[in-house]
Amino acid sequence: MAYEPQVVQAARERLEKRRRDAIAVAASLRERMCERIPRLREIEQQMAAAVPQITHAILAGEAADTVDTLQKQNLALREEMGRLLRQAGCDADDFEPRFTCPLCKDTGYVDGQVCGCYRQLLKEEACRRLSGLSAVKLTDFDSMRLDYYDAAVDPQWGVSPRQQMEDVLAYCREYTADFTPHSGSLLLQGPTGTGKTHLSLAIARGVAERGYGVVYGSAGTLLRRLEQEHFGKAEGDSENQLIGCDLLVLDDLGMEFDTPFSRASLYNILNARLLEGRPTVISTNLGSAALQSRYGDQIASRINGGFEPLLCVGKDIRQLIRRQSMG
Ligand SMILES: [Zn+2]
């Protein structure tokens, strides 16, 4: 996947910071220990001086016991250093930088190939850029207020709005905790103001915090961005991100400006994700019949067939039932 230069730069900066920090931590420990135990610095200098001596002795073809003596001296120095450090409560390994990724030592490359840690950073940055994930940080499941919902059982429905939303909330929590890039897709349906956006954001945040690449956005914002890129008014590769991210959270579907382009893009994205088994979370205040009449069979059948519906209710469930039956 090709990434925008800003995405590559942001990922590189994070990678370089990891490497710098790991080296700085090790160097500062070494400096502190050498100040406490001046003998350490002497040993380091003697060890550094020994390396060319040994190399020279081998190259010059000197007697084997000379080389042997030099190597033994070096080993003794190393042992003394280890002993001094252990007495001070640390380890010779502590002088080596502890890289976040031991595989590539936070350089991003192993044997000339892009390392998995760098790939992950690129994905995170691409998703962050597309989502404006700062908004996602503000919302989680714990801040969902269930006392706002009516606790009285609705006779027709057989359940109270509060109970219904407790169930939906529990389902979303579990979905987030168990998320894998092969999880199922969710459809949060219900009237405006019933907590769908709150739940969508909490899912996006929770899944992103678990290290997956999440794109969150309102259908309007994301589809408008695609349109701008398509017609050359903006740069980027949002379509590949929307199709390729681990989780796409499409908030407020049905509120976007309806154009042939937005409809074709929507179909393309939903279809590609379903075919590749990638999960999508959609929130909408359209009922199943309304989805059908607005988007047509192709899109509606993708959503109605491939998504687990979760009904979000407000104070008055009957209002919801009316809406659902009206479509
Ligand atoms: Zn790595």
Side-chain angles (χ1 to χ4, degrees):
M1 195 183 292
Y3 290 105
E4 293 170 81
Q6 294 93 327
V7 168
V8 175
Q9 195 187 335
R12 278 237 62 94
E13 278 171 11
R14 282 176 65 189
L15 196 62
E16 279 161 15
K17 184 177 182 319
R18 281 181 183 174
R19 187 172 160 80
R20 265 200 319 274
D21 288 353
I23 291 173
V25 165
S28 109
L29 178 73
R30 169 186 240 113
E31 200 47 45
R32 279 202 314 275
M33 293 310 291
C34 286
E35 249 160 57
R36 251 171 70 186
I37 313 169
R39 172 70 187 140
L40 283 176
R41 216 184 290 276
E42 284 172 26
I43 293 174
E44 279 203 327
Q45 282 162 358
Q46 286 169 8
M47 276 169 60
V51 175
Q53 274 178 5
I54 294 172
T55 313
H56 180 261
I58 293 170
L59 290 176
E62 287 187 27
D65 55 344
T66 311
V67 175
D68 196 41
T69 307
L70 285 168
Q71 279 174 336
K72 275 187 182 138
Q73 277 171 3
N74 202 38
L75 196 65
L77 286 169
R78 193 176 293 279
E79 277 167 3
E80 187 188 353
M81 181 184 232
R83 205 166 47 243
L84 287 170
L85 285 171
R86 273 194 301 280
Q87 281 165 5
C90 70
D91 196 277
D93 285 351
D94 296 340
F95 280 9
E96 296 300 320
R98 292 253 163 95
F99 296 111
T100 306
C101 175
L103 222 54
C104 69
K105 298 188 164 63
D106 298 344
T107 61
Y109 294 92
V110 187
D111 300 331
Q113 302 286 319
V114 175
C115 183
C117 71
Y118 185 31
R119 231 183 271 282
Q120 178 65 28
L121 284 175
L122 284 165
K123 195 154 84 174
E124 278 176 30
E125 284 304 323
C127 292
R128 192 191 303 251
R129 187 166 160 75
L130 197 53
S131 308
L133 274 180
S134 49
V136 173
K137 289 199 166 64
L138 301 174
T139 309
D140 58 17
F141 290 118
D142 292 339
S143 56
M144 182 101 181
R145 291 268 312 272
L146 287 170
D147 54 352
Y148 162 80
Y149 299 90
D150 196 346
V153 172
D154 183 278
Q156 214 178 336
W157 188 270
V159 69
S160 70
R162 191 179 297 175
Q163 185 59 53
Q164 171 67 12
M165 289 312 288
E166 270 173 17
D167 292 350
V168 169
L169 177 61
Y171 194 99
C172 291
R173 267 187 201 275
E174 202 171 319
Y175 178 86
T176 305
D178 297 342
F179 180 86
T180 76
H182 306 293
S183 289
S185 293
L186 300 182
L187 179 64
L188 293 160
Q189 272 179 307
T192 304
T194 52
K196 296 188 306 293
T197 291
H198 193 125
L199 289 167
S200 304
L201 278 165
I203 292 170
R205 174 187 170 162
V207 172
E209 277 178 352
R210 295 190 47 221
Y212 292 107
V214 180
V215 172
Y216 167 90
S218 73
T221 306
L222 294 177
L223 291 170
R224 193 161 54 244
R225 181 163 171 130
L226 281 183
E227 195 155 3
Q228 286 169 344
E229 287 175 11
H230 181 77
F231 293 107
K233 289 176 193 156
E235 275 190 43
D237 190 15
S238 297
E239 189 175 21
N240 271 330
Q241 284 299 309
L242 291 170
I243 291 172
C245 61
D246 295 327
L247 176 66
L248 170 63
V249 182
L250 211 50
D251 202 10
D252 254 341
L253 184 72
M255 299 300 282
E256 76 280 7
F257 194 58
D258 191 15
T259 67
F261 179 87
S262 73
R263 209 178 281 203
S265 300
L266 182 65
Y267 173 75
N268 182 29
I269 289 161
L270 293 182
N271 194 48
R273 291 187 66 82
L274 279 175
L275 284 177
E276 291 173 27
R278 295 205 178 98
T280 306
V281 172
I282 288 179
S283 92
T284 181
N285 57 14
L286 300 177
S288 301
L291 280 173
Q292 177 105 14
S293 70
R294 166 150 181 168
Y295 293 106
D297 286 344
Q298 268 197 325
I299 291 179
S301 69
R302 293 294 176 286
I303 297 175
N304 291 329
F307 286 63
E308 173 78 29
L310 297 174
L311 284 184
C312 296
V313 294
K315 286 182 175 171
D316 185 357
I317 292 185
R318 274 156 301 180
Q319 180 202 354
L320 173 72
I321 294 170
R322 270 201 305 278
R323 286 182 67 98
Q324 290 292 111
S325 58
M326 271 168 19

